Amino acid sequence: MHWQLPIRQLSLLHKKHSVMETILLSDNDAELLKAAQFIKDGEIVGIPTETVYGLGADASNPDAVAKVFAAKGRPADNPLIVHLADFSDAVHYTQNIPELAYKLAEKFCPGPLTMVLPKNEKIPMITSGGLDTVGIRVPSHPVMHKIIEMSGCPIAAPSANTSGYPSPTSAMHVMRDMKGKIAAVVDGGQSEFGVESTVISIESNDRVRILRPGCITREMLLEVCGEVIIDHAILHELEAGQKAASPGMKYKHYSPKADIIMVEGDIKSFCKYVEDKVDEKVYCLIYDGDEFTIPCKYLTYGKNSSEQAHWLFQKLRELDDIGAEKVYVRAPSADGVGLAVYNRLIRAAGFEVIRA
Ligand code: TXA
Ligand code: MG
C-alpha cells in the first residue's frame, strides 16, 4: 500500500469483531429510519439495491468504513463505491467532473452504473482504498434511495458478501455471511439485476473504459459515447506484476466453495464432455430449456443473459448448500449483459475454460 492509514483505522480494520446482534428490518418507513440512524451513528447495515445487496456505511466516516472492510475481510486497497441519492450530489464528493459524466448520468442514473471520478477531501482515503478517485453510483432501488435520503450520508457500500464469495441477492444471503458482524439487514426483496453495477472510468469527453461489466452494456454506453473500451482484465487473468485499472480485478471473486469448471459449447457437446465425469458430488449448471441427456445432478440458471445475471449468484450459493464439490457450468454467451455473467463465472472458475 502506498498510502498510510492512521493507526486507529488500521487497528479497526484488523480488529476481530466481537459478536453483535444483527436485526432484520423490513422496508416500511419506521424500520428504514432505524437503518438510516445506524448508518448516521457509524454502524453498518446490509441494504438492498437493484444489483446486489450492499454493506452500507457513512462514506465520510473513516471508522465506519473500517468496520466494512473488517466485516467483509476485504483487502484495504480495494476501494468502495459511494452511493448518492442524485447525481447532482456528486459535486460535493468529487472534482473536475467531465461533461461526459453528466451526459451518462442523464441517461443511466439512477441505475446500475458506477463512474470513477476524481475525489475531493470529503472522501477519506480508507474509502477510496488509497486512490485519488472514487466510484460514484446512484442506485434506483427505492428502499436504498430512501435510506440514503433519510441518513443524509453518502453511503459507501461494497457487495455484502464475505470477500471472495458470490455476492448476495437476498436479505437471507446477507444474514448468512454477516450475522453477528453488522447492526442490521434491511429486507428489500430479491435483487432485480443480480450482478453488480457496470464500473467505468472516463478517459476523454468521448471515450469510456469498462472496468467491470454489468447490466449497463457496452452497446448502451455507445448510445452516449463515441468509444467504449472493454478492459483486457475483464476476460483475462492479470499477469504477475501487471497493474490493475480497478483494484477489484486483482482478487479472486464470486467463488463458491465448490470447484467451478466452465465448459463452452452447445448442450450436446457439454453433455458429451461431462458424461464420464459424473460422480456423487458432481453437479452441472445449465441453461433453462437445455436438453440434458446424462445421469448427473443439475441446476439451471435461466435461458437468456438477463435471466442468467439474475440467478447466477443465487445458484452458486445453492450449489454449496446442497453439497456440490465440483460444478460444470455451461458457459453463457459473452454478448450484451452476458459479458457480465461470463466475467463473474470466469473469475469463479479461476480463468479456466474448457471448449467441448
Ligand atoms: O452494484 C454494485 O456496484 C454493488 C452495489 C452494492 O451497489 N457494489 C459493489 O461494490 O459491487 P464492490 O465493492 O463489491 O465492487 C466495487 C468494484 C471493485 O471491483 C472495485 O475495485 C471497483 O469497483 N472500484 C471502486 N472504486 C474504484 C475506483 N476508484 N477506481 C477503480 N475501481 C474502483
Ligand atoms: Mg463485491
Side-chain angles (χ1 to χ4, degrees):
M1 247 184 295
H2 55 281
W3 96 103
Q4 204 60 50
L5 277 179
I7 299 291
R8 179 179 161 70
Q9 284 161 39
L10 253 182
S11 63
L12 280 169
L13 205 66
H14 298 297
K15 196 176 145 200
K16 279 261 165 278
H17 20 76
S18 44
V19 177
M20 67 193 298
E21 193 199 352
T22 304
I23 59 173
L24 186 64
L25 298 170
S26 66
D27 61 1
N28 64 52
D29 281 1
E31 304 259 285
L32 296 186
L33 275 170
K34 286 188 202 166
Q37 191 62 47
F38 276 130
I39 289 172
K40 278 205 251 187
D41 292 344
E43 292 300 333
I44 57 178
V45 180
I47 41 184
T49 87
E50 71 279 18
T51 55
V52 300
Y53 273 67
L55 212 49
D58 178 355
S60 64
N61 176 343
D63 289 354
V65 171
K67 290 183 194 169
V68 173
F69 280 90
K72 274 184 71 86
R74 179 172 174 116
D77 67 348
N78 196 2
L80 306 185
I81 291 171
V82 173
H83 300 71
L84 304 174
D86 194 281
F87 191 75
S88 62
D89 296 332
V91 290
H92 303 306
Y93 307 102
T94 62
Q95 47 188 327
N96 307 324
I97 302 176
E99 204 45 50
L100 183 55
Y102 287 104
K103 279 200 217 155
L104 288 161
E106 201 170 304
K107 180 108 180 160
F108 300 116
C109 294
L113 179 69
T114 298
M115 290 188 243
V116 173
L117 299 171
K119 77 172 196 74
N120 73 14
E121 72 295 341
K122 296 246 181 63
I123 300 296
M125 276 299 186
I126 186 170
T127 305
S128 68
L131 298 177
D132 51 15
T133 55
V134 61
I136 297 287
R137 165 156 134 73
V138 180
S140 62
H141 197 297
V143 171
M144 176 67 169
H145 186 86
K146 273 192 183 168
I147 295 172
I148 302 172
E149 294 237 292
M150 286 172 170
S151 70
C153 300
I155 297 186
S159 50
N161 50 292
T162 300
S163 220
Y165 203 60
S167 296
T169 54
S170 72
M172 277 311 117
H173 293 164
V174 183
M175 269 296 183
R176 286 260 186 105
D177 285 19
M178 295 295 154
K179 194 168 180 198
K181 298 181 178 176
I182 63 176
V185 179
V186 177
D187 190 348
Q190 180 92 20
S191 302
E192 180 191 345
F193 292 111
V195 290
E196 307 86 343
S197 62
T198 304
V199 179
I200 58 166
S201 62
I202 299 175
E203 299 196 329
S204 77
N205 250 328
D206 202 35
R207 185 174 76 231
V208 301
R209 176 179 295 268
I210 300 183
L211 304 178
R212 180 179 68 184
C215 289
I216 303 292
T217 61
R218 175 168 190 268
E219 294 70 27
M220 290 161 80
L221 292 166
L222 278 170
E223 289 171 27
V224 183
C225 316
E227 200 182 343
V228 178
I229 297 167
I230 294 181
D231 196 89
H232 186 74
I234 284 174
L235 292 177
H236 304 92
E237 194 166 16
L238 282 173
E239 283 166 26
Q242 206 178 350
K243 194 172 179 308
S246 174
M249 291 166 166
K250 290 189 298 198
Y251 298 105
K252 190 166 165 71
H253 265 329
Y254 319 116
S255 280
K257 292 188 202 89
D259 203 7
I260 300 291
I261 300 130
M262 240 170 116
V263 183
E264 293 248 28
D266 59 20
I267 186 62
K268 216 166 153 196
S269 25
F270 178 91
C271 289
K272 200 152 171 246
Y273 178 78
V274 179
E275 200 166 26
D276 58 358
K277 299 169 184 73
V278 177
D279 191 341
E280 191 50 32
K281 297 285 171 76
V282 169
Y283 281 74
C284 291
L285 185 61
I286 55 171
Y287 298 7
D288 275 302
D290 271 350
E291 202 177 317
F292 198 59
T293 54
I294 53 173
C296 186
K297 290 179 272 191
Y298 70 93
L299 298 182
T300 62
Y301 73 124
K303 62 180 180 303
N304 56 43
S305 297
S306 301
E307 288 183 14
Q308 290 173 347
H310 179 82
W311 289 112
L312 178 68
F313 289 142
Q314 155 102 24
K315 297 296 173 163
L316 291 181
R317 282 174 176 258
E318 259 177 63
L319 284 159
D320 272 350
D321 293 344
I322 57 184
E325 285 181 2
K326 204 171 238 198
V327 182
Y328 292 93
V329 182
R330 188 170 164 227
S333 139
D335 295 333
V337 172
L339 183 64
V341 184
Y342 199 100
N343 164 267
R344 302 322 186 263
L345 269 168
I346 203 175
R347 292 184 130 71
F351 288 92
E352 241 180 87
V353 185
I354 285 148
R355 284 172 221 285

